[in-house]
Amino acid sequence: MVHQRDEALPEGAVPWLHDAGKLIGRYGFRPGFRVRVHGAERVPRTGPLLVIANHSSMLEPQLIYGMLPRRCAFLVKQELFTGAAGWGLRRLGQIPVRRGAPDRAPLLTAVSVLRGGGAVGVFPEGTRGAGDVDNAERGAAWLVRASGATVIGVATRGTRKPEHGGRRFRPRVDILVGEPFTVTVDKGRAGLETATEQLRGELAAVVRALDEWREAHGFGAQGRKEQA
């Protein structure tokens, strides 16, 4: 796993711990899941990069963190930053964010990473759900406006437990990386809202493409009622 010198991480992060955590995210779940990654070669290896991803379980952040071919600082809910776990998350380079509360501190930290040529990961939906990206918060658009970062959408399916019945043994999990793209974010709230909808639409399209691929190959699209 080759890392560029310009891959910035938040202050206090320990690069070698970050890399060790990536190995756990990449291989630690293999005994319980059949993980397949599609399109990892599309991830730009250098320069500021904003990774936007859908969110339907606690596994997506760890799987995406592990599979990305470069270091990435994710915005993670503040509630996880307690005790030894909080110490570890900060050393791994993760950024605590308070959900539902106005707080620019984590966004400014993320902008610093992006302006330093690093990568930042966010889940625009803001919380776990079906993972269909029906809604999105404005934080991702704000980060793009403040940094000019390139964006990639990442879709994950197969991580949610079925609504009825138990999970199958070693379920199939697919991760699809979309094509990199750029977004122009105009000034003001209207500019943020327009760009947020564009980002939401781009990510939702990657999710739909993965759903269609899984259905065509007999794995089932992880929607609200069917999880494979």
Side-chain angles (χ1 to χ4, degrees):
M1 188 180 300
V2 179
H3 295 295
Q4 302 292 330
R5 292 185 178 181
D6 68 347
E7 288 188 313
L9 288 171
E11 184 177 354
V14 180
W16 72 265
L17 279 178
H18 183 96
D19 296 343
K22 285 179 65 64
L23 291 175
I24 294 173
R26 177 169 294 188
Y27 299 110
F29 299 98
R30 300 282 174 163
F33 300 88
R34 293 175 293 141
V35 181
R36 300 292 184 271
V37 180
H38 314 271
E41 70 280 358
R42 297 176 183 140
V43 178
R45 297 306 196 267
T46 60
L49 178 69
L50 183 67
V51 179
I52 57 175
N54 68 327
H55 198 15
S56 58
S57 81
M58 289 293 290
L59 286 177
E60 283 100 358
Q62 300 166 75
L63 290 172
I64 297 171
Y65 170 70
M67 75 85 184
L68 284 173
R70 59 182 293 184
R71 293 171 180 154
C72 186
F74 279 83
L75 272 69
V76 179
K77 64 180 182 179
Q78 176 74 51
E79 293 89 334
L80 296 179
F81 285 77
T82 58
W87 182 91
L89 285 170
R90 292 182 188 277
R91 296 304 178 273
L92 290 174
Q94 308 310 290
I95 304 170
V97 59
R98 290 184 295 175
R99 295 181 300 179
D103 185 4
R104 282 203 170 189
L107 294 179
L108 293 175
T109 299
V111 168
S112 177
V113 172
L114 292 169
R115 289 179 176 174
V120 169
V122 301
F123 298 90
E125 293 165 288
T127 187
R128 298 191 306 276
D132 297 330
V133 203
D134 291 331
N135 300 287
E137 298 183 353
R138 294 193 295 266
W142 191 91
L143 290 174
V144 172
R145 183 163 69 183
S147 67
T150 297
V151 185
I152 57 168
V154 178
T156 304
R157 287 302 206 191
T159 58
R160 293 185 74 199
K161 291 183 179 180
E163 293 181 3
H164 305 289
R167 188 196 296 274
R168 290 190 297 178
F169 176 70
R170 295 197 74 223
R172 167 79 177 229
V173 173
D174 288 285
I175 303 172
L176 174 63
V177 180
E179 294 288 348
F181 64 96
T182 58
V183 177
T184 299
V185 186
D186 294 330
K187 295 180 179 180
R189 181 181 295 270
L192 282 178
E193 291 179 350
T194 299
T196 295
E197 178 56 25
Q198 183 176 351
L199 292 169
R200 188 204 65 77
E202 292 280 355
L203 178 55
V206 178
V207 173
R208 287 195 301 272
L210 181 56
D211 284 345
E212 292 169 0
W213 186 92
R214 281 170 61 89
E215 287 183 337
H217 289 78
F219 297 115
Q222 178 181 291
R224 290 182 171 84
K225 296 182 179 180
E226 181 184 8
Q227 294 85 36

